[in-house]
Amino acid sequence: PMMITGVVEGRFLEFLVFWGKPKKILEIGASQVEQPSIINGISADSLKTSGYSALWMAEQLPADGKIVTLDL
């Protein structure tokens, strides 16, 4: 079954990154965007790729932070 990250899940991931203050994140199993949302002025519908949850986590990364996503 395909998992989709919604706004509630995205905000929770954003909070975890804010709280944990990591400099590196490895995301495994990103799912395809299938719902309309906007983050930082970017329409998730226009992305047509995986990584929606990575966008939420990136909000709280420091400027020198890094996210690596693996879509299996």
Side-chain angles (χ1 to χ4, degrees), residues 9-57:
E9 295 86 354
R11 294 289 294 175
F12 180 67
L13 290 170
E14 182 181 24
F15 168 75
L16 290 177
V17 173
F18 170 78
W19 182 69
K21 303 207 183 320
K23 285 197 159 207
K24 297 178 185 176
I25 296 174
L26 172 62
E27 179 187 47
I28 300 174
S31 60
Q32 188 164 355
V33 173
E34 287 194 2
Q35 62 189 48
S37 290
I38 295 179
I39 301 175
N40 274 348
I42 301 172
S43 169
D45 283 342
S46 68
L47 295 175
K48 304 287 186 204
T49 68
S50 60
Y52 181 73
S53 57
L55 290 173
W56 283 101
M57 292 186 283

